Amino acid sequence: YTNCSEGKTEPSVATTIEANSATAVSQVAGTAVSPAPSVIVRDQNGNPFAGATVTFNVLVGAGTITGASAVTDASGVATVGEWTLGKTAGPNVLSASSGSLSVSFNATGIAGPTALLTVSAGDNQIAVAGSVLPISPAVLVQDANGNVKAGVTVTFAVGAGGGSVTGATAISNAAGMAAVGSWTLGAVPATNTLVATAAVALPVTFSAIATCGVRPTHTLGSTTGGTLETNDCQFSDGSFVDFFSIVLPETNAYLFKESASFDTYLDLSLADGTVIAENDDATETNPNSAIKALLPAGTYLLGASSFGPAITGNYTVSSQVTSVDNANCELVFVVRNVSTTQRIAATDCVWTQPPAAPIYADAFYILLRAGQSITINMSSSDVDSYLELVPRVSGITVAQNDNRDATTKDAQITFTVTVTDYYAIVTRTAVASQTGAYTLTIQ
């Protein structure tokens, strides 16, 4: 442009910036946009402007870029090195600016190919053989970045144990969930499996235990009668057993008993069948069984059985709330997520025998399986706390602690067991003849 009156040429100035590539794309999350976004800068006469610095910035989507600063070429074009979308499906925005000029690029990240199936619901259930499980097994379908996948065909097939399914083919919904219509267990008491498969993802296996009979409900505070019969469930040693479901309303101490004319055996399990306590004789002279346990609220199973195999006959089971105090060297079972206030007394277990000055102690028993970790805290303002963890079989202390730190007399143990066994949590004092209150917390 020439100013005729003055005979001068007006200098070229960058006045506009616009996209030189698509401004709205949709592609797999976590991948690079192709072609890489580019812009064109023009001067006041609409001609390409060379030498302008253009800065690219990710505004939305947690993506990444290379070559964030580019200079326009002779065609006025500047291109980002690479724009990789964020791994989470959803909107992504990239800005390109030169001085006060700017333009934006939008990209929608979508889920990639099916890569992962995980259990969403319905694993590890227990029901009577031949019955329909209350929770239909379901899987979550995701891509390699964890984005949920809708519209994926998932096939459910019966594995071990027999049984059947309805709705064996399911399509994942908008939340990535796909569920079988129903799963009926096999007619024989055993472990049942159900396998879910989809595309190239590794299959997922659900497990369920088919039991041998109906589990009646035992009400806390009552006595329930039953009969061991040859068509009952059997333990591996050949003893017959009846299971009763019981609901405990709060964290407390509970006492369970089984009485009969034969030598009884009582066990206590979580609702999924995981054993947490068992006992043969209530005392050395009493063949009836009893379990005292500190338990959180929840549903549990009582297993009424006999000490010997193949014994039949009538029995009763009873339950009640009992004293929380572990007194007189009692046998008390515990589980994780229990906190209790106790008292060391001169009538408790004697941990160090005379003629040395006595050290009094309580013992709480917990069933730990190989690989499980446990954290135990004992705190007190009355006594100098001391903790020990002792397996039942070997009787050799595997962990102990006097002072958790230099500022308190509290004790703490964190330990991972290598052998499945009942372990005694011994709460005692570090000083002879001490008595007083303490708090025990098990996690």
Side-chain angles (χ1 to χ4, degrees), residues 8 12 64 66 137 150 199 209 228 247 250 267 269 287 289 297 318 323 338 383 426-427:
K8 297 180 180 179
S12 179
T64 60
T66 62
I209 296 175
L228 293 182
V247 177
E250 61 182 356
D267 73 40
S269 305
S289 305
S318 61
S323 171
V338 164
V383 301
V426 179
T427 55

Side-chain angles (χ1 to χ4, degrees), residues 156-158 163-168 180-184 194:
F156 296 88
V158 171
S164 62
V165 296
T166 64
V180 70
S182 65
W183 182 15
T184 301
L194 181 70

Side-chain angles (χ1 to χ4, degrees), residues 130-374:
S131 66
V132 178
L133 288 171
I135 302 173
S136 295
V139 294
L140 174 65
V141 186
Q142 297 170 293
D143 69 5
N145 292 319
N147 296 299
V148 298
K149 289 277 295 178
V152 176
T153 299
V154 179
T155 301
F156 296 88
V158 171
S164 62
V165 296
T166 64
T169 299
I171 307 297
S172 61
N173 61 20
M177 301 293 183
V180 70
S182 65
W183 182 15
T184 301
L185 298 180
V188 177
T191 297
N192 286 231
T193 60
L194 181 70
V195 181
T197 56
V200 297
L202 291 175
V204 167
T205 300
F206 297 83
S207 294
I209 296 175
T211 63
C212 48
V214 176
R215 292 177 173 175
T217 299
H218 171 79
T219 302
L220 178 64
S222 69
T223 297
T224 303
T227 304
L228 293 182
E229 301 174 292
T230 56
N231 61 347
D232 283 344
C233 298
Q234 278 186 288
F235 286 131
S236 59
D237 68 350
S239 59
F240 301 115
V241 58
D242 290 333
F243 290 104
F244 295 85
S245 177
I246 181 171
V247 177
L248 305 181
E250 61 182 356
T251 299
N252 211 330
Y254 298 93
L255 180 62
F256 310 97
K257 294 181 179 180
E258 180 189 2
S259 301
S261 59
F262 53 82
D263 193 357
T264 61
Y265 198 98
L266 182 65
D267 73 40
L268 177 68
S269 305
L270 300 177
D272 64 2
T274 302
V275 176
I276 55 176
E278 55 194 295
N279 200 8
D280 173 18
D281 299 331
T283 66
E284 292 183 0
T285 58
N286 186 347
N288 294 321
S289 305
I291 293 174
K292 178 176 178 178
L294 296 173
L295 302 169
T299 300
Y300 297 83
L301 294 177
L302 284 173
S305 183
S306 62
F307 182 74
I311 293 175
T312 60
N314 297 328
Y315 64 85
T316 60
V317 291
S318 61
S319 61
Q320 65 185 72
V321 176
T322 191
S323 171
V324 173
D325 187 28
N326 184 346
N328 302 315
C329 208
E330 282 186 292
L331 175 63
V332 179
F333 292 90
V334 291
V335 294
R336 284 197 184 94
N337 302 316
V338 164
S339 182
T340 179
T341 298
Q342 298 288 329
R343 184 173 186 83
I344 297 289
T347 54
D348 286 339
C349 303
V350 178
W351 199 244
T352 301
Q353 297 289 345
I359 289 179
Y360 306 119
D362 290 329
F364 302 84
Y365 289 85
I366 185 168
L367 181 57
L368 298 175
R369 291 164 176 82
Q372 284 188 315
S373 295
I374 187 171

Side-chain angles (χ1 to χ4, degrees), residues 14-20 23 38-42 52-57 59 72 78 93-106:
T15 57
T16 63
I17 187 172
E18 59 189 39
N20 190 51
T23 58
S38 66
V39 297
I40 184 167
V41 178
R42 301 181 188 276
T53 298
V54 178
T55 302
F56 296 88
N57 285 295
L59 300 182
T72 57
V93 179
L94 178 74
S95 72
S97 60
S98 180
S100 63
L101 307 175
S102 65
V103 65
S104 295
F105 298 84
N106 295 278

